C-alpha cells in the first residue's frame, strides 16, 4: 500500500519497525518472550501506533510483522490481526500523550511474581537504589506498588481495571510505570523505547530481588 493511501507516514513506520525488531530480538534472546508470547508497540503519531502482529515469533520478527492500529485498537492499512491485548497498549497512548512505547514481556521472574503477589493485588518495591531508574524518581527512599490484575481473556474488562488503577494512583499523586497480570507477565512503558526498556529492565531486576528475598525467608 503506497504512501497516498494510508493516513500515516510509511517512512516513520519503517523506522519504528526496525526499532521494534532490534529491541524485541534482544528481549527474546534474554528469554522474556517464550513461544509467540508478548507484544510490543510504539506510538506512530497522535492517532496511530505500530504494534506487533498476533502469533509471530518475537525473536524472528521482520518488517511485515509490524502493523498499524488506531488508538481504538483497530487495524489500519494492511488487514492483519493485531495482538489480542492491543487495547492495553492503545489505552495508554490515548490517556497519556507523553507515552511513546509500551513493552509486554513474559519472563519467568515476572510470571512467578505475578502468581505470588496476586492475592495482595500488588508488589511493593521499597528502598532499592534502582528505583531511581523510573522517570521522575530522584531517591531510593520511596516505595512503588506494582498492581497485579487478575488474568482474563476479556480485554475490555482488563482495560477497565487498568483504567481504574490509573485513576487511583494518579489521584494519590503516585505515577505508574508498569503493572503485572496474574500468571501472565509485565506491561511497562515510557516516553520512548529507551525509557520503556529502562523501566522494563529495572522492574525485571527488582522483581527478581523480591523473589530471592522470599526464597531466603526475608519476606
Amino acid at each position: 500500500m503506497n504512501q497516498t493511501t494510508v493516513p500515516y507516514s510509511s517512512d516513520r513506520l519503517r523506522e519504528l519497525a526496525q526499532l521494534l525488531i532490534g529491541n524485541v530480538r534482544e528481549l527474546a534472546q534474554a528469554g522474556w518472550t517464550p513461544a509467540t508470547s508478548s507484544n510490543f508497540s510504539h506510538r506512530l503519531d497522535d492517532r496511530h501506533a505500530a504494534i506487533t502482529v498476533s502469533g509471530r515469533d518475537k525473536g524472528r520478527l521482520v518488517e511485515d510483522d509490524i502493523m498499524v492500529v488506531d488508538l481504538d485498537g483497530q487495524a489500519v492499512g494492511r488487514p492483519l490481526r493485531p495482538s489480542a491485548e492491543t487495547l492495553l497498549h492503545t489505552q495508554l497512548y490515548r490517556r497519556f500523550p507523553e507515552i511513546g512505547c509500551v513493552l509486554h514481556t513474559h519472563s519467568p521472574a515476572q510470571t512467578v511474581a505475578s502468581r505470588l503477589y496476586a492475592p495482595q493485588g500488588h508488589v511493593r518495591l521499597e528502598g532499592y537504589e534502582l528505583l531511581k531508574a523510573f522517570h521522575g524518581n530522584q531517591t531510593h527512599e520511596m516505595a512503588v506498588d506494582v498492581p497485579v490484575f487478575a488474568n482474563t481473556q476479556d480485554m475490555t474488562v482488563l482495560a477497565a481495571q487498568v483504567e481504574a488503577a490509573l485513576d487511583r494512583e494518579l489521584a494519590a499523586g503516585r505515577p505508574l510505570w508498569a503493572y503485572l497480570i496474574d500468571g501472565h507477565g509485565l506491561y511497562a512503558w515510557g516516553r520512548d523505547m529507551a525509557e520503556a526498556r529502562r523501566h522494563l529492565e529495572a522492574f525485571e531486576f527488582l522483581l527478581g530481588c523480591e523473589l530471592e528475598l522470599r526464597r531466603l525467608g526475608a519476606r
Side-chain angles (χ1 to χ4, degrees), residues 13-151:
L13 175 60
R14 282 190 291 271
E15 177 186 340
L16 290 180
Q18 293 308 312
L19 179 69
L20 285 163
I21 289 167
N23 279 270
V24 172
R25 183 176 294 123
E26 292 174 2
L27 296 174
Q29 290 170 348
W32 296 3
T33 65
T36 60
S37 70
S38 309
N39 37 78
F40 307 89
S41 70
H42 201 292
R43 186 187 292 275
L44 180 56
D45 56 37
D46 61 355
R47 295 181 297 125
H48 304 97
I51 192 166
T52 47
V53 174
S54 179
R56 300 296 201 266
D57 184 330
K58 303 310 186 295
R60 295 180 172 85
L61 293 177
V62 297
E63 193 170 304
D64 282 347
D65 296 328
I66 309 299
M67 64 178 295
V68 176
V69 293
D70 63 23
L71 298 193
D72 292 319
Q74 299 301 307
V76 178
R78 294 182 298 152
L80 298 170
R81 183 164 66 94
S83 165
E85 296 157 15
T86 296
L87 287 178
L88 302 180
H89 293 251
T90 57
Q91 78 173 151
L92 291 166
Y93 294 130
R94 283 197 312 272
R95 178 156 184 165
F96 302 105
E98 68 274 18
I99 289 179
C101 183
V102 181
L103 305 175
H104 171 46
T105 49
H106 291 240
S107 79
Q110 296 160 16
T111 306
V112 171
S114 76
R115 303 311 311 263
L116 285 174
Y117 291 94
Q120 295 98 301
H122 70 273
V123 184
R124 171 152 289 197
L125 305 171
E126 186 171 11
Y128 290 103
E129 179 69 14
L130 206 62
L131 290 172
K132 293 193 290 187
F134 302 129
H135 174 69
N137 276 7
Q138 303 297 324
T139 178
H140 69 282
E141 295 176 337
M142 52 93 69
V144 170
D145 286 337
V146 182
V148 184
F149 299 105
N151 198 2

